[in-house]
Amino acid sequence: MRSPKIPTRPQAIVSEQAARLLDQKFQASVAKLTGSQSPALNTMAFFDWAIHLLVSPGKQLVLAQLAQQHLQQLQSLAIESAALGMETGMSKALRGNQPSPEPSEPIPVPISDRRFKDPAWSQFPFNVMQQAYLMQEKWWQEATRDVRGVDPHHSEWVSFAAHQWLSMFSPSNFLWSNPTVLKRTMQESGANLQRGMRNMMEDTQRQLAHAPPAISEEFQIGKDIAATPGKVVFRNNLMELIQYTPTTKQVRPEPVLIVPAWIMKYYILDLSPHNSMIKYLVDQGHTVFAISWKNPGLAEHNLGMEDYLERGLFAAIDAINAIVPDKKIHATGYCLGGTLLSIGAAAMARDDDDRLASMTLFAAQTDFSEPGELALFIDESQLNLLEAQMAETGYLDSNQMAAAFVWLRSFDLVWSRMVNEYLLGDRARSMDLMAWNADSTRMPARMHTDYLRQMFLHNDLARGKYLVGGRPVVLNDLKLPIYVVGTESDHVAPWKSVYKIHLLSDAEITFVLTNSGHNAGIVSEPGHARRHFREVTREHNGKYMAADEWAQNAPVTEGSWWLSWDKWLNARSGEPTAPPAMGAAKGGYPVLEDAPGLYVLER
């Protein structure tokens, strides 16, 4: 008898590596089509919300009741407004040019919005359109929140997406339903629309040609902005270190090192001379150094967080120690640069390296458990698409990062700009901050993945799981004084998230909360109008105070927090002495060229 044939395992047609490569290329193509937004997340979030709403009859009754209430209010408003308008029109015809009488009671406006600040929105028919839109917004907000059983991330995403879609159809966005635009059009006989058309054509041409905005040509780097005198005293493949020329006969012996975020050009802190933080510090008698990060390309695709620590922060500290020997450093980090500085400072404390005199953080998060609206764009599904796209290019393009901020601030960055520049025909006034914002940068693929996964997704630093040199670091090892600045209306680093450093370190922490946003709140020079801040110092090993309680009890000071920070630095510095030399040629840090250097010019 013949033995039965044992079926052999079929030979694989496609290897696992080839399959992964195919998936990566396909997903990169999807990312390009969707603007790096995950269709899987959109679909899952919508169905999660819709199915749970379908099995929530109580929630459905609440929404039906709210819709009926809004409809009744809108009908009453329309009838009353129309009747009042007719009555006023008839009375005006009888009175001639005499002023019309005021109604005995104003028409109720239960919901307000800064898009509708023009008083004309309270007149018929614009008040009805305004209220219809805002009531719809309120209904959708109620519909997408607090549906039992929905994943919180999905709930937030659906609510956010609904708000963005509704914002597109706001009556303030259209010529025929915006009384401000209609009034301007009649006053100028349509000249505003002609200017708006020219503005739109110019912007479109620049986008198609991949040219920077016109404002970039009005502010020249090294002349109008980033113009504080100084020298590049060190350069490697990741950063340049700039030492600024002293303007005072004596300086504080402890130098200040500024570590900016690698997603921004450093000169956010060296804009025009009147609002340059770096110039301000130099003029107050501080020796200032600043890191200028290289704008990475394909060659830098494999640089990660460890590289930015070693070749960035630690390399800068080594250089400063050679130029200003035997002096501790006031290290200062902004945004992601502050997170990087926190990691580096914790590693130095772990290793008994005491070369830092203090640490200052500007709008920088160390605990990412509540990172704010930016978390909407960061989950496994979104990261999978980003990683596939970055594998093709080697870096995260600035346009991809900009897209997320456009979504978060669609009113400021899209709709209000469209109304002002294309319908009213008014170009925004040129500002140095806008020129800096247009000078975008890229991010290495590995760095971006490291940062998003280890910070936003896993919160490794706050959990004591972040490794430097193969060993974990914790912020509670820090014993040096810490100065932390949060901004009230921050979309990138919400101040309550920044405040969480109080839970991670027992060191002395001076927390400052200033008004305005992530950038404008930091660039808050003395003399800037309408600026104020709150400030409280928690002593070493002091008791914790919750963020809301802190805000209620912290005293308000009018003016710029820069003066407070300068006073804080001086109190932790030695007596003034002669300025150090520029660079240290004998120590291997010769002057290479004038500030602002080469890397800041890279596009």
Side-chain angles (χ1 to χ4, degrees):
M1 275 181 76
R2 289 184 181 179
S3 59
K5 251 186 184 179
I6 300 175
T8 58
R9 184 179 179 181
Q11 188 174 2
I13 300 175
V14 180
S15 67
E16 290 186 10
Q17 183 178 358
R20 284 196 298 269
L21 183 61
L22 177 61
D23 289 345
Q24 173 194 299
K25 289 188 174 295
F26 182 80
Q27 289 163 5
S29 300
V30 172
K32 291 177 183 178
L33 291 174
T34 62
S36 302
Q37 298 302 309
S38 169
L41 171 62
N42 294 336
T43 304
M44 289 188 297
F46 174 77
F47 278 105
D48 187 10
W49 165 77
I51 291 172
H52 282 92
L53 181 60
L54 187 65
V55 295
S56 302
K59 182 71 172 181
Q60 293 176 34
L61 287 174
V62 169
L63 293 176
Q65 183 179 350
L66 181 61
Q68 184 180 12
Q69 178 186 347
H70 283 171
L71 182 60
Q72 291 174 349
Q73 288 178 341
L74 196 62
Q75 287 176 338
S76 299
L77 178 63
I79 294 170
E80 183 179 352
S81 300
L84 182 60
M86 291 177 61
E87 180 182 340
T88 303
M90 293 174 62
S91 300
K92 185 176 180 180
L94 294 173
R95 291 192 316 272
N97 292 327
Q98 295 296 320
S100 59
E102 294 292 328
S104 56
E105 291 185 7
I107 298 172
V109 183
I111 309 171
S112 62
D113 190 287
R114 65 192 179 104
R115 289 169 290 189
F116 309 111
K117 61 182 180 180
D118 191 321
W121 284 105
S122 64
Q123 303 299 317
F124 183 81
F126 304 109
N127 61 339
V128 178
M129 291 187 284
Q130 174 213 48
Q131 290 300 295
Y133 169 75
L134 291 174
M135 287 174 178
Q136 190 176 33
E137 255 195 350
K138 188 174 182 180
W139 188 91
W140 275 101
Q141 183 180 15
E142 179 67 27
T144 54
R145 296 285 187 183
D146 301 322
V147 178
R148 291 172 60 86
V150 180
D151 180 90
H153 182 61
H154 290 168
S155 177
E156 291 173 358
W157 179 258
V158 171
S159 180
F160 176 78
H163 176 74
Q164 296 302 318
W165 276 104
L166 286 171
S167 295
M168 293 174 59
F169 302 104
S170 168
S172 61
N173 294 339
F174 303 98
L175 166 65
W176 53 85
S177 55
N178 187 323
T180 308
V181 177
L182 287 172
K183 182 179 178 181
R184 176 74 68 85
T185 303
M186 289 186 289
Q187 287 175 342
E188 298 189 17
S189 301
N192 57 306
L193 299 180
Q194 291 180 333
R195 293 195 306 273
M197 181 60 68
R198 287 197 300 269
N199 292 341
M200 185 171 64
M201 290 177 65
E202 180 185 352
D203 291 346
T204 303
Q205 289 171 354
R206 284 184 172 273
Q207 288 179 353
L208 293 175
H210 301 287
I215 192 172
S216 300
E217 300 167 359
E218 299 180 30
F219 292 89
Q220 295 183 27
I221 295 176
K223 180 181 177 182
D224 306 300
I225 48 182
T228 302
K231 304 291 183 182
V232 176
V233 294
F234 176 69
R235 178 187 294 128
N236 59 23
N237 68 334
L238 190 57
M239 65 92 172
E240 291 177 328
L241 183 66
I242 301 172
Q243 179 183 358
Y244 288 92
T245 305
T247 59
T248 56
K249 292 183 179 180
Q250 290 189 317
V251 298
R252 294 288 180 176
E254 294 81 6
V256 175
L257 168 63
I258 292 176
V259 185
W262 51 88
I263 63 169
M264 61 172 71
K265 297 290 180 72
Y266 82 91
Y267 66 87
I268 178 65
L269 300 179
D270 187 25
L271 293 171
S272 303
H274 75 278
N275 62 356
S276 166
M277 177 183 285
I278 289 175
K279 183 179 185 302
Y280 172 79
L281 289 171
V282 172
D283 289 345
Q284 303 311 305
H286 295 284
T287 297
V288 180
F289 293 82
I291 289 175
S292 175
W293 298 110
K294 180 178 176 57
N295 199 359
L298 182 60
E300 291 79 28
H301 75 282
N302 204 36
L303 295 177
M305 288 281 284
E306 195 87 12
D307 296 296
Y308 274 72
L309 275 174
E310 293 294 337
R311 302 185 213 176
L313 175 61
F314 294 153
I317 291 174
D318 290 341
I320 295 172
N321 287 156
I323 297 169
V324 190
D326 304 320
K327 301 299 178 185
K328 294 187 178 184
I329 299 168
H330 293 300
T332 304
Y334 186 10
C335 188
L336 305 186
T339 305
L340 183 75
L341 172 59
S342 300
I343 295 169
M348 293 172 70
R350 178 199 65 189
D351 299 336
D352 297 320
D353 185 339
D354 63 350
R355 289 180 291 169
L356 299 185
S358 70
M359 182 174 75
T360 297
L361 305 178
F362 299 154
Q365 298 176 95
T366 50
D367 184 320
F368 290 78
S369 57
E370 296 177 309
E373 294 176 316
L374 215 62
L376 289 168
F377 301 91
I378 302 170
D379 63 8
E380 286 291 348
S381 181
Q382 297 275 39
L383 277 184
N384 182 56
L385 278 192
L386 274 179
E387 288 170 352
Q389 195 169 7
M390 289 190 297
E392 299 281 305
T393 60
Y395 52 81
L396 182 70
D397 188 78
S398 59
N399 292 330
Q400 294 170 262
M401 288 186 282
F405 292 110
V406 167
W407 274 66
L408 289 175
R409 299 178 56 204
S410 60
F411 173 74
D412 295 319
L413 299 179
V414 179
W415 308 121
S416 66
R417 182 189 170 196
M418 182 193 74
V419 171
N420 291 330
E421 299 196 2
Y422 301 160
L423 296 182
L424 294 174
D426 297 335
R427 275 294 195 194
R429 182 173 62 90
S430 297
M431 296 175 59
D432 49 14
L433 188 60
M434 293 171 60
W436 167 84
N437 191 60
D439 190 8
S440 53
T441 60
R442 298 176 289 273
M443 190 182 298
R446 182 181 166 196
M447 157 59 81
H448 195 50
T449 297
D450 286 353
Y451 184 77
L452 292 183
R453 287 195 177 280
Q454 293 183 272
M455 298 299 166
F456 276 91
L457 281 189
H458 302 149
N459 201 19
D460 284 347
L461 180 59
R463 297 170 63 199
K465 293 188 175 183
Y466 192 90
L467 304 181
V468 175
R471 297 162 57 209
V473 296
V474 291
L475 295 184
N476 204 39
D477 285 341
L478 295 174
K479 306 305 177 188
L480 75 177
I482 303 173
Y483 190 94
V484 183
V485 182
T487 61
E488 290 178 355
S489 53
D490 199 326
H491 293 275
V492 180
W495 79 266
K496 289 184 180 180
S497 181
V498 174
Y499 185 85
K500 284 179 177 290
I501 192 172
H502 287 84
L503 296 169
L504 303 179
S505 175
D506 294 327
E508 173 199 297
I509 297 176
T510 298
F511 190 83
V512 172
L513 180 62
T514 182
N515 62 329
S516 200
H518 186 74
N519 296 322
I522 301 301
V523 183
S524 181
E525 71 281 1
H528 196 298
R530 298 181 298 278
R531 285 290 189 261
H532 63 262
F533 64 94
R534 297 179 176 91
E535 177 181 340
V536 173
T537 296
R538 188 202 68 183
E539 299 299 330
H540 176 59
N541 286 329
K543 292 183 178 180
Y544 173 76
M545 183 183 296
D548 289 331
E549 183 183 358
W550 182 97
Q552 291 175 359
N553 291 281
V556 177
T557 302
E558 297 298 325
S560 169
W561 62 268
W562 289 14
L563 287 83
S564 166
W565 183 43
D566 176 50
K567 183 179 178 181
W568 186 89
L569 289 173
N570 289 336
R572 290 155 182 81
S573 301
E575 291 300 316
T577 184
M582 300 297 289
K586 291 183 179 179
Y589 298 97
V591 170
L592 301 178
E593 62 183 275
D594 291 338
L598 299 178
Y599 287 169
V600 73
L601 302 176
E602 294 179 336
R603 298 283 184 176

